Amino acid sequence: MVQVNFTSHLETFFPTLKPQNLMVDNLKELMEKLNELYPGLISYLLEDNGDIRKHVNVFLDGVLIENKSNLNVSLKEVSEVFILQALSGG
Amino acid sequence: MYVAILGTRKGVLKVSFDSTKLVNIEESFGGSTFSYAFQDGRTQNIWACGDLGHWGQKLYVLKKGESNWVEKTVPKYPENEWIKEGKPAVMKYLWVMVAGAKSTPNHLYIGTEPGGLFESTDGGENFFLVKGLWDHPSRLKDWMGGGKDNPGIHSIIIDEKNPLKISVGISCAGFFRTIDGGKNWRAMNKGVTADYMPNPNIEVGQDTHFVTSSPSNTKVLWQQNHCGIFRSVDDGENWVKISQINGPANFGFPITVDEKDENVAYVVPLAADQNRAPVNNALCVSKTEDGGKSWKELRKGLPQKYCYDVVLRHGMDIQGSALIMGSTTGNLYASIDAGENWFLLSSTLPPIYSVRFMKE
């Protein structure tokens, strides 16, 4: 079981968004599961080609995923996934 | 009362004004960037193209009579399509959106970076890439990015009498047309010059900033180009440079044509491509009433010093004798007497990318 927490910014577009506890094996499954719960959410997090968007940061137990092209990251030993965006500029 | 819908750096703004002043501004999506917003005159639905940065490109519709925007599936480039060899095509920017002809009530079109035209035939539920243009033999070798990293389509002209005839303006490639609904396309840039290129008379590679047709005679086309202002009276077969000699009307982005007179048009000149600010930092709208043979400067009510207003290609619109224009410094100006007198609606708005009149 992994807990998924989100930046509050996403609630602008998904007002019912809440932290989730999910049974998933890897990050790809997690994204697909989230999209089932919140249809369309995956297009906010991933590029058309499936990469994590450039300014979306995903942390696994506090460690940032550096390779945004690989979603086959095991979550079996992970207890928390944190999804946020890198806000910048004016 | 006049009403316009704006795409801005900080949301979609619906602006109401009367003959002298701003009346109201209604904000949607506060804080998010919107590249373009417009009202489909057939349905009165309002469409908005979001450029949400971290979250990507998004498309929303506010249907007539409803109070909540609905997110639609954003156009997607098919797998195995390439901007250039080794560079996969992914959606970067929704630059412009237009309604189809009245006789094709479910058709909508979106021009995008990196250079794809998308068409919907089901009222905006689904969009697909117009392959005929994407596969044009010139795209991979002669299209290039101008102010953006990749080529982009910013102008789409639908022929109300013949929906199979569609024209587009591409930066940087030029003016293209199909007469068979998108299967085959022809570059039509004869007379346009790309002064920045080793060969200015290239067929493809022209930096069209915006192109539009005259509502009263659709065979008369107008083009604000990187290298001046051009006009065609033979439906795009030949273009003639009509930039002002020894005057400001030359470089700029928008060009707006009178609804009833094919000889009347407005531009918002900037000093030069390397100095994108009003000439001498004094804002003017240049107007021609004789098809570009002469230009006059309209300045009453516009700032004449310390001015850095840049009006982008979708930043100006016309409705009868009313004109409205918004700048990247967040100033919004209007005129109700064909540009003779202007008044400031607001000087505190976000950077403005598109301004389009609409009906309540």
Side-chain angles (χ1 to χ4, degrees):
Chain A
M1 185 78 77
V2 59
Q3 183 176 44
V4 189
N5 292 313
F6 303 94
T7 167
S8 60
H9 188 193
L10 273 171
E11 292 171 19
T12 306
F13 309 101
F14 297 89
T16 63
L17 193 67
K18 292 281 182 296
Q20 298 291 323
N21 290 301
L22 302 175
M23 290 288 288
V24 287
D25 286 340
N26 59 46
L27 195 56
K28 187 167 187 291
E29 279 183 30
L30 181 138
M31 291 292 177
E32 288 165 355
K33 188 70 184 172
L34 289 176
N35 201 51
E36 286 175 23
L37 295 168
Y38 301 100
L41 179 60
I42 202 165
S43 76
Y44 285 68
L45 306 179
L46 306 183
E47 302 277 4
D48 289 353
N49 65 359
D51 292 356
I52 299 170
R53 287 192 181 277
K54 185 178 177 184
H55 295 296
V56 171
N57 289 337
V58 178
F59 291 84
L60 308 183
D61 287 334
V63 178
L64 176 67
I65 292 180
E66 299 281 0
N67 183 356
K68 297 199 171 201
S69 298
N70 178 22
L71 268 64
N72 291 315
V73 178
S74 173
L75 298 180
K76 286 178 181 168
E77 305 296 323
V78 172
S79 58
E80 187 203 46
V81 173
F82 204 99
I83 298 173
L84 80 164
Q85 87 284 20
L87 284 175
S88 64
Chain B
M1 184 79 79
Y2 302 93
V3 185
I5 192 88
L6 277 56
T8 83
R9 175 74 178 81
K10 303 288 182 184
V12 175
L13 306 181
K14 189 167 90 173
V15 175
S16 308
F17 64 98
D18 62 18
S19 58
T20 58
K21 65 181 187 309
L22 179 71
V23 173
N24 187 45
I25 295 181
E26 190 180 317
E27 178 199 81
S28 302
F29 307 104
S32 295
T33 299
F34 277 76
S35 52
Y36 195 81
F38 86 110
Q39 184 182 52
D40 182 341
R42 304 166 304 178
T43 59
Q44 295 195 21
N45 295 339
I46 300 170
W47 291 86
C49 301
D51 175 26
L52 303 193
H54 316 84
W55 313 123
Q57 306 303 305
K58 302 290 178 246
L59 180 63
Y60 300 91
V61 63
L62 179 63
K63 293 201 169 173
K64 185 190 176 189
E66 296 186 2
S67 54
N68 293 317
W69 293 86
V70 174
E71 185 173 345
K72 310 304 285 187
T73 303
V74 81
K76 188 175 177 179
Y77 282 82
E79 286 183 25
N80 300 316
E81 297 293 349
W82 305 88
I83 300 171
K84 296 277 182 194
E85 191 177 338
K87 195 175 174 187
V90 293
M91 184 60 72
K92 302 278 189 186
Y93 197 66
L94 307 178
W95 208 351
V96 68
M97 182 172 185
V98 304
K102 288 190 182 74
S103 59
T104 54
N106 292 317
H107 286 227
L108 290 154
Y109 298 87
I110 299 181
T112 75
E113 184 201 349
L117 176 68
F118 287 81
E119 178 181 41
S120 172
T121 57
D122 59 5
E125 294 301 320
N126 299 282
F127 284 87
F128 53 87
L129 181 66
V130 177
K131 283 278 281 173
L133 182 58
W134 183 251
D135 292 338
H136 193 276
S138 68
R139 185 180 67 81
L140 285 172
K141 62 186 178 72
D142 295 326
W143 295 22
M144 55 193 158
K148 297 185 181 300
D149 290 342
N150 307 290
I153 297 176
H154 47 61
S155 307
I156 307 170
I157 303 169
I158 303 296
D159 191 309
E160 192 58 50
K161 292 177 185 161
N162 175 13
L164 297 177
K165 180 180 159 194
I166 303 165
S167 310
V168 297
I170 305 166
S171 183
C172 298
F175 183 71
F176 285 66
R177 172 174 295 150
T178 177
I179 54 171
D180 59 10
K183 294 183 188 71
N184 296 284
W185 292 78
R186 182 161 73 101
M188 302 171 72
N189 298 296
K190 191 177 173 189
V192 183
T193 53
D195 299 336
Y196 48 84
M197 294 290 278
N199 172 14
N201 300 308
I202 48 176
E203 185 185 27
V204 176
Q206 304 288 343
D207 191 359
T208 306
H209 281 182
F210 191 66
V211 59
T212 189
S213 64
S214 305
S216 60
N217 180 357
T218 57
K219 286 186 165 49
V220 177
L221 301 169
W222 300 75
Q223 177 176 160
Q224 174 68 70
N225 188 286
H226 190 98
C227 300
I229 305 164
F230 296 83
R231 186 168 182 258
S232 169
V233 296
D234 56 7
D235 207 10
E237 294 295 339
N238 296 280
W239 294 88
V240 175
K241 194 169 191 172
I242 55 167
S243 301
Q244 190 177 18
I245 298 167
N246 299 322
N250 189 354
F251 182 83
F253 288 97
I255 186 160
T256 301
V257 185
D258 185 87
E259 292 174 319
K260 292 181 179 169
D261 190 337
E262 71 213 48
N263 292 309
V264 178
Y266 305 83
V267 295
V268 189
L270 301 176
D273 56 355
Q274 69 272 29
N275 179 13
R276 296 174 186 210
V279 180
N280 299 322
N281 297 104
L283 184 59
C284 85
V285 170
S286 290
K287 178 179 184 180
T288 178
E289 296 175 301
D290 54 13
K293 293 185 184 73
S294 67
W295 294 89
K296 67 175 181 178
E297 298 166 28
L298 307 174
R299 297 181 181 274
K300 285 181 193 164
L302 298 175
Q304 294 304 297
K305 59 182 180 179
Y306 313 136
C307 180
Y308 292 85
D309 280 309
V310 171
V311 177
L312 293 178
R313 69 201 79 229
H314 305 133
M316 188 186 208
D317 201 14
I318 190 167
Q319 184 181 82
S321 60
L323 288 157
I324 185 170
M325 62 177 180
S327 75
T328 57
T329 36
N331 292 324
L332 186 64
Y333 305 96
S335 165
I336 58 162
D337 56 6
E340 290 299 324
N341 295 280
W342 291 85
F343 54 99
L344 179 68
L345 294 175
S346 175
S347 63
T348 56
L349 299 181
I352 296 166
Y353 305 126
S354 75
V355 179
R356 289 293 178 256
F357 275 114
M358 57 167 280
K359 293 190 172 118
E360 281 277 39

